[in-house]
Amino acid sequence: ELGLPRQDPDCVHFGHCGGCRWQDLAYADQLCLKQDMVQQAFGRRDLEPETWLPILPSPDTFYYRNKMEFSFGTDRDGSLQLGLHVRERYNRVFDLKACLLQLEASNQIVDSFRKHAIGFGLPVYDLKSHEGLLRFLVVRDAKETGQIMVNLVVSEYPREDVDDFLAAILEEVGDLMTTCMVTRHAGKAQVAIGDAEFLVKGEGRITEVCGGLEFEISSRSFFQTNTHAAAGLYRRIIDLLGDLQDADVLDLYAGTGGVSLHLARVARSVVGIEQVAEAVVDARRNAERNGIDNCTFLVGRTEAVLKELCTEEGVRFDVVVADPPRAGIHRKALAGIVALGAPTLIYISCNAETMADDLLVLEASGYDLRLAQPVEMFPHTPHCEILTWMSRSSRWSGACVEV
């Protein structure tokens, strides 16, 4: 990013906040940088797709996030804060005036929680002493339906003072919330997931529409952060794969069924594999909600399910799709993918480095890298998704070759 012209960022927190580090770059320059970063990651490993497609821009550059996680903290005087993390400081929070990545209603909700937390004198959870109460506030909003889910994460609940606190908030901004819950997280890990959930308002779920499909989202559901860009990604996958009406598809790391359900509308059958049981419950519910009956979801670790599939007689897939976590595909799962020998592989990743390492193994094991395209999902940050397409070649033997 050195040498590129700078512009005035729109956000008042730019530079102090740990997010949106590229907001002072023109969006066209951000896209060029991301394309270049992905191509360099591939180039360092002598990976050369037959075709590089230009980066697919995000339809929205602001207000694109459907989920934001805000943290409670204290300033040097011990006064309560609620906002985002200071850049490079995991243990420091600043008071958020307004974030330009989520709906304006989200800013109003954050303001209300901060004001009433101070008013009720509720203590903030301390990372060192592990004492205190307030930990996180998670706001999810559905871009197409306008529904909003709010999740307050605390160290202890039920508590009468928390109920009074929430009653005051609901009176002030309750109309903005479709559903609201409290998550009790008594453990030490600094994550917004807990051991019990308590419903305060609504049904604990919101509905999002992505690519013409309805998705029911619960507090633990994984859903692509940028709804409109995700719809574009799913369209690209379907365009790349072409006619699938006689094709059987295996979707690895299926989450709540985003890719699986889009493919199921055009394929003969889809099997989705996901290790988080709650996500599979959501995925099955989403299939039912959209009247999709040619899509099956299995709970299990990808490498374990692949090993089973490889030993079953007559199991074959025309297409394997993988969208793993940032760490990439487990080595045993890579071996399982190669052993299955599907003619076509689609690999999606948000980490160019781990993806490139995995692609090297797949290429050495008999797959040709036909196409690669960065997909912009996170404007104003250095991150992007990458979509790749591989075809089985005559070099394939079923053995996974380490490189």
Side-chain angles (χ1 to χ4, degrees), residues 63-254:
Y63 309 109
Y64 63 84
R65 283 190 71 99
N66 54 38
K67 180 184 178 186
M68 291 286 290
E69 195 175 288
F70 304 100
S71 297
F72 287 93
T74 52
D75 64 15
R76 286 189 169 85
D77 300 326
S79 299
L80 181 142
Q81 296 170 302
L82 174 58
L84 297 168
H85 284 269
V86 174
R87 190 169 177 168
E88 313 290 0
R89 298 289 298 274
Y90 77 95
N91 59 342
R92 285 282 312 284
V93 172
F94 66 90
D95 266 336
L96 185 79
K97 288 192 178 75
C99 178
L100 302 181
L101 296 192
Q102 204 174 21
L103 287 181
E104 172 52 31
S106 171
N107 295 320
Q108 293 176 43
I109 290 165
V110 171
D111 283 345
S112 182
F113 270 85
R114 182 191 301 113
K115 180 178 74 182
H116 289 296
I118 292 168
F120 280 87
L122 298 179
V124 171
Y125 183 80
D126 185 275
L127 287 176
K128 290 181 180 151
S129 68
H130 301 292
E131 293 172 347
L133 177 68
L134 302 174
R135 302 188 73 158
F136 300 100
L137 182 69
V138 184
V139 182
R140 299 182 83 148
D141 75 272
K143 299 301 178 188
E144 291 298 304
T145 64
Q147 295 180 4
I148 293 179
M149 173 193 295
V150 177
N151 185 9
L152 174 68
V153 183
V154 295
S155 62
E156 191 186 325
Y157 193 78
R159 276 176 63 139
E160 199 175 319
D161 54 356
V162 174
D163 290 336
D164 294 342
F165 164 59
L166 287 168
I169 289 165
L170 286 169
E171 193 174 322
E172 183 175 44
V173 292
D175 290 350
L176 298 177
M177 305 181 205
T178 310
T179 189
C180 177
M181 69 268 293
V182 175
T183 293
R184 183 180 65 215
H185 172 29
K188 292 182 178 179
Q190 188 63 351
V191 291
I193 301 168
D195 52 85
E197 194 173 278
F198 304 85
L199 208 49
V200 177
K201 179 188 176 179
E203 297 177 0
R205 297 186 293 273
I206 56 174
T207 303
E208 178 64 291
V209 179
C210 179
L213 289 172
E214 286 190 0
F215 291 88
E216 206 170 84
I217 298 170
S218 59
S219 68
R220 285 187 151 192
S221 296
F222 171 77
F223 196 78
Q224 287 284 7
T225 309
N226 185 334
T227 304
H228 294 147
L233 171 64
Y234 300 150
R235 269 197 310 275
R236 280 298 297 127
I237 294 168
I238 289 166
D239 290 347
L240 270 182
L241 291 172
D243 183 6
L244 290 174
Q245 63 182 19
D246 296 321
D248 300 306
V249 180
L250 179 65
D251 180 20
L252 307 176
Y253 314 95

Side-chain angles (χ1 to χ4, degrees), residues 176-344:
L176 298 177
M177 305 181 205
T178 310
T179 189
C180 177
M181 69 268 293
V182 175
T183 293
R184 183 180 65 215
H185 172 29
K188 292 182 178 179
Q190 188 63 351
V191 291
I193 301 168
D195 52 85
E197 194 173 278
F198 304 85
L199 208 49
V200 177
K201 179 188 176 179
E203 297 177 0
R205 297 186 293 273
I206 56 174
T207 303
E208 178 64 291
V209 179
C210 179
L213 289 172
E214 286 190 0
F215 291 88
E216 206 170 84
I217 298 170
S218 59
S219 68
R220 285 187 151 192
S221 296
F222 171 77
F223 196 78
Q224 287 284 7
T225 309
N226 185 334
T227 304
H228 294 147
L233 171 64
Y234 300 150
R235 269 197 310 275
R236 280 298 297 127
I237 294 168
I238 289 166
D239 290 347
L240 270 182
L241 291 172
D243 183 6
L244 290 174
Q245 63 182 19
D246 296 321
D248 300 306
V249 180
L250 179 65
D251 180 20
L252 307 176
Y253 314 95
T256 52
V259 174
S260 299
L261 298 178
H262 279 86
L263 288 170
R265 292 197 295 186
V266 291
R268 179 166 60 196
S269 76
V270 177
V271 175
I273 298 172
E274 169 56 49
Q275 70 174 27
V276 179
E278 294 100 331
V280 171
V281 170
D282 284 338
R284 288 170 179 159
R285 194 187 280 129
N286 288 332
E288 195 176 329
R289 187 182 190 101
N290 289 283
I292 292 171
D293 58 8
N294 61 334
C295 196
T296 308
F297 292 97
L298 306 176
V299 182
R301 288 195 346 271
T302 303
E303 55 271 27
V305 179
L306 279 170
K307 188 176 181 182
E308 283 176 35
L309 290 173
C310 288
T311 58
E312 285 181 24
E313 281 290 314
V315 170
R316 51 165 291 287
F317 292 96
D318 303 288
V319 178
V320 171
V321 178
D323 185 0
R326 285 188 65 79
I329 299 175
H330 191 286
R331 279 292 175 263
K332 288 180 181 174
L334 274 177
I337 291 168
V338 172
L340 268 183
T344 300

